[in-house]
Amino acid sequence: MNPSEKFYQSQINKRLDINKALTSKIRVIGILRLIVVLLTMVLGYVSYKNSKNTLFFVNLIVFLVVFIMLIFYHDGLYRKKKRNDILIDINRDGIKRINGQFKSINDKGIEFLDENHSYANDLDIFGENSLFQFMNTTISKGGRLLLARILKREVKFDKETIVKRQEAVKELSKKVLWRQKVCAEGKLQKSNDVDIDRFIKWGESKKVNNSVLRLLIACIFTIVTWVSIVMFVKRILPLSFILLLLVINYAVVNILNSPMKEYIN
């Protein structure tokens, strides 16, 4: 086993140990969330049964805050585990490339095959067991496309640019952990369906809703919802009104997000 392979394997073992600890924490927090829900239901029922509306409302607020905190913490643990899973895959792919087993890497760049290209097909630039499959570690749609264009020589560099790129590669070659961290963060946020050009266009478009207005609408509906819950606790409003309000809230959120969804999806 050469030094590079030893490094990749050590990183895999390290990340697997971290995942075991994260899995245990995720299970514990999941159980705590269930306990909080059950306690909220029991104490809420007892308070409501004894007509202690103030106590009912206080319990509701306290447990809601605790539950939301647990949700955020739980989500953070899931993201850490997912990040570790990605780092494990990155290191496993590194071992595959060292041992010439990169055929199992899924991205083969088949869509870049061009029968009319002077050398792309003959030299196995794309497709099964190809150069693209061996060297592609891009994490964005734009980066992947740029790599394909470089391999097809649709993008050319002058001598000065080539030297600068070589110096950058030399510098980055010594920062393996940093490179892996950047790749993991990119893959964590990755969405293959996002068209970067269209997303930029959306961001610059005059049709985008005013952010201040969107925030104001969100605040108004939040305040109305909480006031309505208080009025429901005090038996001023019926449960049907609260349910209707939640449906309206859901509809408003979708309407506010529709301009972004139009460009992303």
Side-chain angles (χ1 to χ4, degrees), residues 139-171:
I139 56 176
S140 69
K141 185 176 181 179
R144 184 173 179 273
L145 179 60
L146 178 59
L147 175 60
R149 294 184 64 200
I150 291 173
L151 292 175
K152 295 169 75 173
R153 295 202 68 192
E154 293 176 358
V155 177
K156 299 180 181 179
F157 304 105
D158 56 30
K159 182 179 178 181
E160 183 180 356
T161 303
I162 291 173
V163 171
K164 287 182 178 180
R165 290 172 68 86
Q166 288 175 339
E167 291 174 351
V169 170
K170 185 177 180 180
E171 180 180 351

Side-chain angles (χ1 to χ4, degrees), residues 217 221 247-257:
I217 293 173
F221 271 87
V247 172
I248 294 174
N249 268 284
Y250 177 78
V252 170
V253 169
N254 276 278
I255 292 171
L256 291 177
N257 290 333

